[in-house]
Amino acid sequence: MRRPRPTSSLPGRLGGALAALVTPFAAGGTRLDERALGDLVAWQVAQGSEGLVVAGTTGEGPTLTEPERARVLRVALEAAAGRVPVIAATGSNCTRTSVVRTRDAAAAGAAATLAVTPYYNRPTQDGLYWHYAAIVTAVDLPLLVQTVPARTGIDLAPATLARLAALPGVRGILDSTGDLARLATIERAAPGLLLLSGDDATAAAFTMLGGQGCVSVLANLVPGACAALQRAAREGDHARARLIQAGLMPLVAALSAETDPGPVKLALALLRPGVSPDLRLPLVRPRPETEAAIAAALSAAMAVSAHDPAPAGAAA
């Protein structure tokens, strides 16, 4: 089996263990909780996360106003203080909106942007190409394209990805399908692109098969363990990576019982009482049986995380 490239060699330090951050709300979800967000970012950095993605699906990006998106990014950048890259999710099913958001993210100082395939209007493969081409030609900032057909109803074909890889500025792909067989296909179609997983259940295997990291929902809760998993996988300690992955799987399953980010926000509130589990409609609080499963799985995951503590000198 080919040994994956170390994260330190990746362009722009965009690989490794990246957290798909939730967006904390206050007052029943009516406003941002900027203090909780800043504290969460600082904790993530201290616990070993190698990068942060804000205002994505897990960050309830579709329900954020444009001013709120800007504030989430600025708070995250201030709290991260340059210690890890902060990636802004700027995708939309409107190309013009994506371009404006990406320009704003570049002006604010984001390390890169993440743009999901346009949803609902389901463009052709040519439409996908020109959508992303419009973004990268308008803004000089690394772009990660994201494919998650279960949510968007559209996928990036390998031939389209190969065309996109030829564009300056397209840095990598976030594949959230959980289909490990796609890795080799993507790598053949677009060699040299950064390959990131968006699926916690296959995070270890993805990196062991040649990927360069994971944008993780789970990392909201156990960033130290997620970082240790990625470190072990990329350094060739596959037995260790598999052991960590196995220990975290009950929590991964519990978080998948209902639509993200409802379960992870509830779990985070149990773990860090300063973070509210509030969501914005149309998302609602998980059912009582889901809450019970999350609480039990979270306790078990804490035991795994205790064996993979934060880096030396990190704050609790």
Side-chain angles (χ1 to χ4, degrees), residues 196-215:
L196 298 175
S197 170
D199 179 56
D200 279 309
T202 57
F206 189 93
T207 300
M208 288 190 288
L209 289 172
Q212 288 93 47
C214 181
V215 177

Side-chain angles (χ1 to χ4, degrees), residues 19-25 32 37 40-41 52-74 76 86-92 101 105 110 112-116 119 146 215 220 260-261 280:
L21 281 188
V22 303
T23 300
F25 294 131
L32 300 178
L37 176 59
L40 180 60
V41 168
L52 308 169
V53 174
V54 299
T57 303
T58 303
E60 293 176 82
T63 70
L64 297 177
T65 66
E66 297 305 315
E68 285 176 333
R69 281 179 169 273
R71 284 303 303 160
V72 166
L73 177 56
R74 289 190 181 277
V86 176
I87 301 166
T90 59
S92 168
R101 288 177 178 174
T113 60
L114 172 69
V116 70
Y119 39 87
Q146 181 183 13
V215 177
N220 281 281
D260 176 57
R280 284 183 172 172

Side-chain angles (χ1 to χ4, degrees), residues 63 280-284:
T63 70
R280 284 183 172 172
L281 289 171
L283 298 181
V284 295

Side-chain angles (χ1 to χ4, degrees), residues 14-243:
L14 296 178
L18 302 104
L21 281 188
V22 303
T23 300
F25 294 131
T30 60
R31 62 178 176 84
L32 300 178
D33 188 338
E34 295 187 9
R35 179 175 180 178
L37 176 59
D39 289 346
L40 180 60
V41 168
W43 179 67
Q44 284 284 324
V45 174
Q47 291 294 306
S49 282
E50 297 172 276
L52 308 169
V53 174
V54 299
T57 303
T58 303
E60 293 176 82
T63 70
L64 297 177
T65 66
E66 297 305 315
E68 285 176 333
R69 281 179 169 273
R71 284 303 303 160
V72 166
L73 177 56
R74 289 190 181 277
V75 170
L77 286 166
E78 290 169 6
R83 292 171 291 175
V84 299
V86 176
I87 301 166
T90 59
S92 168
N93 62 343
C94 172
T95 303
R96 183 182 302 175
T97 299
S98 295
V99 168
V100 170
R101 288 177 178 174
T102 303
R103 284 176 174 155
D104 290 344
T113 60
L114 172 69
V116 70
T117 52
Y119 39 87
Y120 191 72
N121 44 17
R122 300 184 66 192
T124 64
Q125 293 298 310
D126 273 347
L128 288 173
Y129 173 80
W130 289 111
H131 171 78
Y132 287 119
I135 296 172
V136 297
T137 56
V139 186
D140 184 17
L141 191 67
L143 172 68
L144 304 175
V145 300
Q146 181 183 13
T147 183
V148 51
R151 284 186 180 266
T152 65
I154 193 73
D155 194 9
L156 272 170
T160 305
L161 190 59
R163 292 175 69 193
L164 290 173
L167 294 174
V170 175
R171 183 64 58 83
I173 180 170
L174 173 59
D175 188 301
S176 300
T177 65
D179 181 0
L180 293 174
R182 290 167 60 97
L183 251 177
T185 302
I186 292 172
E187 204 163 23
R188 284 194 302 269
L193 276 189
L194 181 71
L195 306 177
L196 298 175
S197 170
D199 179 56
D200 279 309
T202 57
F206 189 93
T207 300
M208 288 190 288
L209 289 172
Q212 288 93 47
C214 181
V215 177
S216 168
V217 175
L218 189 64
N220 281 281
L221 308 173
V222 285
C226 290
L229 182 154
Q230 288 297 321
R231 185 168 57 249
R234 69 181 178 244
E235 291 177 356
D237 190 352
H238 294 175
R240 181 67 181 149
R242 287 194 297 267
L243 183 65

